[in-house]
Amino acid sequence: MNRTATGAATPRPALIASDLDRTLIYSTAALALTAPDAEAPRLLCVEVYQGKPLSYVTEAAAGLLDQLARTAAFMPVTTRTREQYRRIQLPCPTPRYAICANGGHLLVDGESDRDWQAVVAARLADECASLDEVRAHLLAAADPAWLLKERVAEDLFAYLVVERALLPDGWVAELSAWAEARGWTVSLQGRKVYAVPKPLTKSAAVREVARRTGARTVLAAGDSLLDADLLLAADRAWRPGHGELADTDWRAGHVEVLADRGVAAGEEILRRFLAAARTAAAAAA
């Protein structure tokens, strides 16, 4: 990731807290959400894994993101592990803050904040079932006919990689009900079934960064169930016309629902962020 320092000595009026995958950056599979091939925009690769290009933004989005990071405090907020996040080469100055593992790690200048780790550990111990219990149930409930991989992320949550077309009807809903009773949330994103403890939230980590930076306004965007708390905690927020939230027609009064899908939605979200950040800066001047 670009190691140029960002931010100013004084607080910026707006904190931009944005999900990454299928919100600002898009895998090859997610590109199918956008225009036909003949109308597809020019793309910039922002992630390479095992020698293969993995995630993209449009060239227009790259320019918008660079402007945004120089206008406001831009902070990626992702369910990715720290290792997965560090593979991304965003086309902008490196954000000082980033949130990984769905709020489990608050990175400050690339390093996980130990005070925040202690806060998260205490909440998980007090408020939900253990990772071992949930992981065991996930494996027992999964069928080898459609289970491809099982993973634990940062010793905080678990997920399955599945053949989505082969998932039995009602399986995710049944798993969700079981997890709900134990203080966990289930989310189906692409080929991954996530089981995440409810105390592990993006919004809690965002509130901590807002407190530290003195941000007057929080702007947010996201597409999945695991982003819902982030959008609700923001002053203004946007969600694209694709993803788990769109599939369930999830809405909130201050969350603008965009018609755009795929990489076009990523561009539009950045335009909305930039306009709102400039308005906040002008109001604070």
Side-chain angles (χ1 to χ4, degrees), residues 143-199:
D143 188 330
W146 44 258
L147 176 62
L148 301 177
K149 298 176 186 177
E150 181 266 343
R151 293 287 186 269
V152 170
E154 303 269 20
D155 291 324
L156 292 169
F157 61 91
Y159 64 92
L160 308 179
V161 182
V162 302
E163 287 286 3
R164 182 164 176 162
L166 299 181
L167 281 178
D169 291 342
W171 185 85
V172 173
E174 183 178 337
L175 178 63
S176 296
W178 182 91
E180 174 77 21
R182 289 157 181 82
W184 285 62
T185 296
V186 170
S187 175
L188 176 61
Q189 301 180 42
R191 297 195 306 161
K192 293 181 179 178
V193 179
Y194 289 93
V196 177
K198 285 189 174 182

Side-chain angles (χ1 to χ4, degrees), residues 58-74:
T58 67
E59 287 187 347
L64 290 165
L65 183 55
D66 184 64
Q67 292 180 61
L68 180 65
R70 298 176 189 280
T71 302
F74 169 68

Side-chain angles (χ1 to χ4, degrees), residues 143-272:
D143 188 330
W146 44 258
L147 176 62
L148 301 177
K149 298 176 186 177
E150 181 266 343
R151 293 287 186 269
V152 170
E154 303 269 20
D155 291 324
L156 292 169
F157 61 91
Y159 64 92
L160 308 179
V161 182
V162 302
E163 287 286 3
R164 182 164 176 162
L166 299 181
L167 281 178
D169 291 342
W171 185 85
V172 173
E174 183 178 337
L175 178 63
S176 296
W178 182 91
E180 174 77 21
R182 289 157 181 82
W184 285 62
T185 296
V186 170
S187 175
L188 176 61
Q189 301 180 42
R191 297 195 306 161
K192 293 181 179 178
V193 179
Y194 289 93
V196 177
K198 285 189 174 182
L200 192 69
T201 64
K202 295 179 176 181
S203 60
V206 169
R207 281 192 289 268
E208 174 63 15
V209 176
R211 183 189 68 80
R212 295 186 187 190
T213 60
R216 301 175 186 176
T217 301
V218 175
L219 309 174
D223 71 293
S224 79
L225 179 62
L226 294 175
D227 295 316
D229 70 287
L230 169 65
L231 304 186
L232 289 172
D235 296 290
R236 291 185 65 189
W238 295 266
R239 73 158 174 83
H242 64 260
E244 202 175 15
L245 296 179
D247 291 344
T248 57
D249 197 31
W250 182 93
R251 295 172 183 268
H254 66 290
V255 179
E256 187 171 352
V257 175
L258 302 179
D260 305 84
R261 294 166 53 85
V263 292
E267 279 188 23
E268 186 58 26
I269 287 168
L270 286 166
R271 289 190 187 95
R272 303 297 177 99

